[in-house]
Amino acid sequence: MEQPKDATEATKRALAEFAKTLPPDTGADFELVKRGFIATIPDAKVLNEAGHAVWDMGTFAFAGEGCDCPDTVNPSLWRQSKLNSVHGLFEVTKGIYQVRNFDLSNITFIEGDTGYLVVDPLISAEPAAAALALMRKHRGDKPVVGVIYTHSHVDHYGGIKGVLSDEDIAKGLRIIAPEGFLEEAVSENVLAGNAMGRRATYMYGALLPRNARGHVDAGLGKTVSMGQVSLVPPTESISQTGTKIVVDGIEIVFQVTPDTEAPAEMNFYFPQFKALCMAENCSCHLHNIYTPRGAQVRDAKSWSWYIDEAIELFAKDTDVLFASHHWPRWGSDAAVAFLKKQRDLYKYIHDQTLRMANHGLTPLEIAEALKLPPTLAAEWYTRGYYGTLNHNAKAVYQRYLGWFDGNPANLHKHPPVEAAKRYVELAGGAAALLEKGRAAFAKGDYRWVAELVNHLVFADPANAEARHLQADALEQLGYQAESGPWRAFYLTAAMELRNPRPPSDVPRQGAAGQLRSLPAERLLDSLSVRLNGERAGAREIALNLRFTDTGERFLVTVENAVFHNYPGREAQGAPLVSLTRGSLASLVIGEIALPHESVAIEGDAEPFATFLSLLDRFDFWFEIAMP
Ligand SMILES: [Zn+2]
C-alpha cells in the first residue's frame, strides 16, 4: 500500500499565510469545552459484544491536548480537532448533563423526579449505553423515563437501544420527535442510498488511517461510531411551536423547525433549568447547507428564520444554551450573541449568494467571491469546519437556480471521459499534459493540477504517473483544507488513486441491510430506481404481492419501463407472490434466487422472475476519482 507524503513547501507557506487570517485565540472555547467536567472512561473506549472497539478516542491521541499542529493539517481544523477531543460527562447546569465525544454527536440527560430524560441517543447502542452507565455512576442509578429525538439524522436516534430495553420499547415508553421524523429518517437515505453511502466513505474519512496525514477530525465531531444502529419509531410527535409537555416532572416547551438543518427538527426550552436546546440548528461552526456526501440542499433562509424565532421565544430567559454537537454557551448575553451570529451566518450566505446571482454571477464565481463580514469572521464558531462558504454558496444557487449556470457552453458538455480524451489531445498528448501538470505542482497550483490531470486520469486510468500526480495534488489540497469533510474527500481520493481497488465481476453490496428494515411501501419505492429502463423496454408485468410479515398487499406493475406499486390494489388474473420483506430484499440483492422456499407463487411464476431480472444490483465501491 502506497503511503501518504509530506506537506510541500508551498503547502507550508499557504498554511502559514492562512494562520495569519484566523481570529485571535483567547482560549475561551477551551474553557467552555471543559466546563462542568465530571468524569470519563479511559480514551472513551467502547467495545461491542465481540470485543471490538466501536469507539476509541485513543486512536486520536496524536491530536490531543498539547500536540503541536503538524504541517499536514490546517491549523484551524487542528484547533477544532483538539476541542472535539475532550470527552466525558459534563454538567451543563444543575439537572442537565451531557456526554460528549463518545460518538459524533452529544447525548444529553435531564434529571426528572424519578429518572432521566434522554436527548439524542447517539448513532449506535454501545456508546449510548456507555454514556448512560457513566451518567448513572456519577448521578445515580435511575431509570430512563423518556427519549427525545431532536431530528431525523441517524446520529440522533440510532443508539436508542443502548438506553432503552426491548421491554421499555414494547410498553411504549415515551419517545418524542418532531412531526415527520419517521418519514424523513427512512426517506433521506433510501432512493439515492448507494451513491450517498459510497460518497460518505469519502466525506467522513472512514477509510483513512487516523494520523497527521490521514483522518484528524470531521469538524462536527471526531468520526462516526461503529456499533448497533436501530430505528425505533417515536410514540408522540410534536407539530406545533409552543407545545408544552411534562415528562417525569420536567417541563419542555417546543419550537418546531422544519426545513432547517434537517427536514424534521425541533428546538426546545426547559423553563425549570432556564436551558435552551438548539438541536443541530446551531453548532460551533458553519454547518452544511449542502452536504458533500450528497443530499437535497437545505433552506438557509428558513434555517436562519427559525434561529431568529428561537431568540424571540427563549433567549432572554436562557441561562445556558446547549446543542446536539459541540459545547454549550453559558449566560443569556453569550447565548443571544451566539444565536444572532449563527442566524446571520446562514442568512448572509443566502442573501449574498442571491445578490451576486442577480448580478449575473455564476456558482463558481460567487463561491470564490463570497467572504464573511468582519463581525461574523471574528468568531471561531462561524468557521467552515464542516460546511464551507464555498460549497454552501453553490447550494443556495442550486436551491433557487439549479445546476445550470445559464451559459449554454455548459448546457451540453461532453461527459468526463469524452472531454478528457479531447483535453489530452489538446495538451499535446499524455506526456505533455503531465509536464504541464508537474510544472503547476511545482508552483503549488494544486487546484489547477487537479483539474488538468483529472482529464488524463479519466482518459487513461491505467496511466500510473497521472494517477500519482493527481493523488499528490489532491493530498496537498487535503492538508490545506480547513473543512474536515473537504480534507477527507481529498485524502480518500488520493489514497484510492494510489492504491486502486481491484475490479470486481459482481456488485459489492454496501449497506443493503437497510433494505430489510424498510416499511413495505418504501422498499417497493426503492425498487423503482433499480429497474433498468433499457432492459425493461416495452415489457409489461403485473403482479399481486403479499408481504407475509406485515400482511400488506400491493399491486406492482411495469409498463413504459417504469415500476409502480399500489398499496391495497389487486389485478385480476395476475400471479400472487407471497414473501417477507426480507426475502424480497434478499432476492433483489442476489443473496437468494428463485425458486426459494421462502417465496410462494400462485399462478404463473415467470413474470416475477422476469421482474427480478430487470432490477439492477448496485456496486457500493464504484469509482469516484477515476472513471
Ligand atoms: Zn448530528
Side-chain angles (χ1 to χ4, degrees):
M1 176 121 169
E2 197 181 315
Q3 295 304 310
K5 296 186 174 165
D6 282 334
T8 59
E9 290 306 317
T11 287
K12 291 179 197 170
R13 277 197 304 275
L15 289 178
E17 283 306 308
F18 180 87
K20 291 179 196 164
T21 68
L22 293 171
D25 194 349
T26 61
D29 282 328
F30 288 89
E31 282 168 29
L32 293 179
V33 85
K34 289 178 195 158
R35 179 166 165 175
F37 175 77
I38 295 171
T40 190
I41 56 177
D43 292 330
K45 190 169 181 174
V46 180
L47 306 178
N48 63 11
E49 264 183 20
H52 300 299
V54 298
W55 186 258
D56 182 6
M57 291 294 284
T59 58
F60 292 103
F62 69 94
E65 202 166 8
C67 298
D68 287 333
C69 182
D71 47 28
T72 51
V73 183
N74 180 292
S76 180
L77 178 61
W78 188 252
R79 179 184 178 277
Q80 184 81 347
S81 164
K82 283 187 168 184
L83 289 163
N84 286 339
S85 296
V86 182
H87 55 81
L89 172 67
F90 299 82
E91 182 184 273
V92 173
T93 186
K94 201 168 166 14
I96 300 183
Y97 302 83
Q98 282 192 317
V99 173
R100 299 202 284 268
N101 295 313
F102 272 41
D103 204 325
L104 183 72
S105 40
N106 297 337
I107 182 170
T108 306
F109 301 97
I110 325 290
E111 290 180 343
D113 293 338
T114 64
Y116 301 132
L117 172 65
V118 177
V119 179
D120 286 355
L122 306 178
I123 294 176
S124 59
E126 296 87 340
L132 177 59
L134 187 63
M135 177 70 186
R136 283 178 169 154
K137 182 174 172 193
H138 294 277
R139 298 295 310 167
D141 189 6
K142 295 181 193 168
V144 171
V145 295
V147 173
I148 298 179
Y149 301 142
T150 58
H151 64 290
S152 51
H153 293 152
V154 67
D155 52 323
H156 305 272
Y157 65 76
I160 186 161
K161 292 203 172 173
V163 299
L164 291 191
S165 66
D166 290 342
E167 279 164 32
D168 290 331
I169 294 164
K171 76 179 184 212
L173 196 121
R174 293 177 87 170
I175 303 174
I176 301 151
E179 185 173 45
F181 169 89
L182 193 59
E183 168 83 354
E184 299 301 341
V186 295
S187 76
E188 188 165 323
N189 305 316
V190 173
L191 294 183
N194 192 65
M196 272 186 201
R198 168 65 168 134
R199 290 169 54 144
T201 66
Y202 268 53
M203 175 158 163
Y204 291 101
L207 307 173
L208 296 171
R210 292 171 185 177
N211 59 44
R213 295 176 186 180
H215 183 65
V216 169
D217 198 86
L220 188 63
K222 272 288 160 211
T223 181
V224 293
S225 71
M226 303 299 284
Q228 288 299 316
V229 181
S230 33
L231 173 51
V232 176
T235 62
E236 53 197 290
S237 63
I238 305 294
S239 56
Q240 294 284 324
T241 291
T243 301
K244 289 178 195 172
I245 63 169
V246 178
V247 180
D248 196 34
I250 304 163
E251 272 181 76
I252 314 161
V253 185
F254 291 92
Q255 180 203 8
V256 182
T257 69
D259 292 318
T260 50
E261 187 269 334
E265 188 149 355
M266 58 188 185
N267 303 325
F268 37 90
Y269 178 73
F270 298 97
Q272 290 142 296
F273 303 99
K274 290 185 167 265
L276 173 61
C277 174
M278 285 301 291
E280 197 164 331
N281 284 315
C282 291
S283 43
C284 299
H285 59 21
L286 169 59
H287 210 291
N288 279 319
I289 298 173
Y290 168 76
T291 177
R293 70 175 155 82
Q296 293 182 31
V297 294
R298 296 164 187 166
D299 184 346
K301 185 161 171 262
S302 158
W303 195 334
S304 174
W305 191 89
Y306 282 112
I307 297 175
D308 195 58
E309 191 186 52
I311 298 173
E312 264 317 288
L313 290 173
F314 307 125
K316 64 180 183 304
D317 298 317
T318 292
D319 285 348
V320 62
L321 176 160
F322 65 95
S324 299
H325 292 271
H326 300 142
W327 49 95
R329 309 256 147 197
W330 285 270
S332 175
D333 290 351
V336 171
F338 172 74
L339 287 168
K340 284 174 78 174
K341 285 189 175 172
Q342 286 272 311
R343 170 197 70 188
D344 291 342
L345 178 61
Y346 297 105
K347 188 146 171 24
Y348 181 84
I349 295 170
H350 173 273
D351 294 353
Q352 296 305 310
T353 297
L354 293 181
R355 179 182 66 81
M356 288 190 263
N358 281 317
H359 280 302
L361 270 68
T362 58
L364 292 182
E365 293 166 329
I366 295 167
E368 208 65 23
L370 187 65
K371 300 281 179 286
L372 289 182
T375 45
L376 294 181
E379 302 295 347
W380 289 97
Y381 57 72
T382 61
R383 300 204 67 88
Y385 299 120
Y386 198 51
T388 67
L389 277 181
N390 190 287
H391 75 245
N392 279 342
K394 292 165 186 163
V396 173
Y397 191 98
Q398 187 194 317
R399 186 167 184 98
Y400 285 87
L401 293 158
W403 63 270
F404 178 43
D405 65 3
N407 178 350
N410 295 325
L411 194 52
H412 194 193
K413 289 176 85 165
H414 283 292
V417 171
E418 286 307 310
K421 289 179 189 161
R422 288 163 172 81
Y423 274 104
V424 173
E425 195 200 350
L426 175 73
L433 187 147
L434 278 172
E435 198 184 306
K436 292 277 190 197
R438 288 203 186 91
F441 187 91
K443 280 194 250 171
D445 191 357
Y446 305 125
R447 284 171 73 183
W448 174 239
V449 180
E451 182 169 344
L452 180 66
V453 179
N454 186 54
H455 288 309
L456 184 50
V457 171
F458 273 74
D460 180 15
N463 187 324
E465 277 182 86
R467 281 191 286 105
H468 282 87
L469 181 56
Q470 182 72 347
D472 290 351
L474 296 177
E475 180 171 72
Q476 297 302 319
L477 289 170
Y479 293 164
Q480 292 183 25
E482 185 180 29
S483 157
W486 278 36
R487 176 183 172 94
F489 258 89
Y490 284 130
L491 297 188
T492 306
M495 186 175 77
E496 293 193 346
L497 285 160
R498 286 173 179 150
N499 309 284
R501 198 170 277 104
S504 169
D505 297 337
V506 290
R508 296 151 294 190
Q509 302 286 344
Q514 191 182 222
L515 277 184
R516 265 178 275 274
S517 53
L518 291 177
E521 204 168 344
R522 288 278 167 204
L523 172 61
L524 293 173
D525 272 348
S526 80
L527 301 189
S528 296
V529 303
R530 287 179 182 261
L531 184 80
N532 186 306
E534 244 172 87
R535 278 211 307 277
R539 246 183 271 254
E540 295 195 357
I541 298 173
L543 295 163
N544 295 312
L545 261 185
R546 187 169 68 89
F547 288 112
T548 51
D549 53 334
T550 67
E552 290 164 284
R553 297 178 80 112
F554 292 84
L555 166 64
V556 301
T557 62
V558 174
E559 58 181 336
N560 301 317
V562 170
F563 174 71
H564 289 284
N565 73 80
Y566 303 100
R569 279 199 224 168
E570 209 172 311
Q572 290 294 320
L576 172 64
V577 180
S578 300
L579 76 183
T580 61
R581 288 172 300 161
S583 291
L584 181 58
S586 295
L587 284 166
V588 168
I589 62 181
E591 284 177 349
I592 60 173
L594 291 178
H596 193 269
E597 63 200 12
S598 68
V599 185
I601 302 177
E602 287 169 41
D604 188 1
E606 194 275 333
F608 185 53
T610 303
F611 168 65
L612 290 174
S613 75
L614 298 177
L615 301 180
D616 276 358
R617 288 180 190 153
F618 297 135
D619 187 350
F620 184 76
W621 296 103
F622 62 82
E623 294 296 349
I624 292 177
M626 283 179 274

